[in-house]
């Protein structure tokens, strides 16, 4: 019996990240000083980034060659929180974006052969780092579940 290959291609991972970036940047809930969410990057000032948390994996494979997969990622928010209220606002910002993602009627558009099924949080928003300059990093872990049909039979 040969081992099961549950990995998806690197190109597919990039497609998932691009679709999520475009979708989250259109949500209208970004903080005042955040122009847009960046891929795999936080600047030294107030910023947000989308980071891959793990390589995407197939969760279900069909005889047709189609499959379901999950892309685990984090949304991170760097800000200079000067008070408890600022810290709670940072947590609330990430939680509000996650709630929007879970309740949104329109899911990320992933392109031909890929269809988003669901976006959900897998952890609460938490403080992950505090720096000497006063800036702090907050994070929420999320999962994009999607279907892939490499032969484009039904989408």
């Amino acid at each position: 019996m040969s081992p099961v290959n549950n990995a998806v291609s690197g190109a597919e991972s990039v497609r998932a990240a691009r679709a999520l970036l475009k979708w989250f940047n259109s949500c209208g809930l970004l903080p005042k000083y955040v122009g847009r969410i960046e891929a795999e990057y936080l600047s030294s000032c107030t910023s947000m980034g989308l980071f891959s948390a793990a390589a995407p994996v197939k969760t279900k494979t069909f005889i047709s060659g189609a499959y379901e997969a999950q892309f685990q990622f984090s949304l991170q928010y760097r800000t200079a929180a000067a008070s408890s209220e600022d810290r709670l606002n940072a947590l609330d910002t990430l939680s509000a974006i996650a709630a929007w993602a879970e309740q949104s009627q329109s899911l990320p558009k992933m392109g031909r052969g890929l269809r988003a099924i669901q976006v959900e949080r897998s952890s609460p928003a938490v403080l992950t780092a505090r720096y000497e300059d006063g800036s702090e990093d907050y994070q929420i872990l999320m999962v994009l579940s999607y279907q892939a049909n490499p032969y484009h039979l039904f989408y």
Side-chain angles (χ1 to χ4, degrees), residues 19-109:
L20 284 165
L21 272 175
K22 184 174 181 180
W23 187 62
F24 278 119
N25 279 318
S26 72
C27 78
L29 296 172
L30 301 184
K32 183 177 180 181
Y33 297 108
V34 174
R36 58 177 306 188
I37 298 170
E38 297 292 338
E40 306 286 339
Y41 177 75
L42 289 173
S43 72
S44 59
C45 53
T46 300
S47 60
M48 290 187 83
L50 185 142
F51 294 82
S52 175
V57 294
K58 296 176 187 175
T59 56
K60 189 185 286 186
T61 304
F62 301 96
I63 200 163
S64 66
Y67 55 89
E68 292 181 2
Q70 289 187 334
F71 177 68
Q72 298 178 28
F73 65 96
S74 68
L75 280 181
Q76 296 183 20
Y77 178 28
R78 177 169 290 161
T79 187
S83 67
S84 292
E85 187 63 26
D86 291 343
R87 289 179 188 92
L88 292 171
N89 286 340
L91 295 170
D92 189 47
T93 295
L94 287 172
S95 296
I97 292 171
W100 170 84
E102 290 173 325
Q103 298 165 5
S104 181
Q105 296 300 310
S106 66
L107 292 168
K109 305 289 186 235

Side-chain angles (χ1 to χ4, degrees), residues 92-141:
D92 189 47
T93 295
L94 287 172
S95 296
I97 292 171
W100 170 84
E102 290 173 325
Q103 298 165 5
S104 181
Q105 296 300 310
S106 66
L107 292 168
K109 305 289 186 235
M110 299 181 69
R112 188 174 171 106
L114 299 177
R115 180 176 61 191
I117 301 170
Q118 180 180 31
V119 178
E120 61 185 341
R121 67 187 107 189
S122 56
S123 78
V126 296
L127 171 70
T128 58
R130 185 171 287 142
Y131 303 98
E132 288 184 21
D133 67 358
S135 62
E136 297 175 345
D137 290 349
Y138 296 84
Q139 167 181 278
I140 193 162
L141 298 174

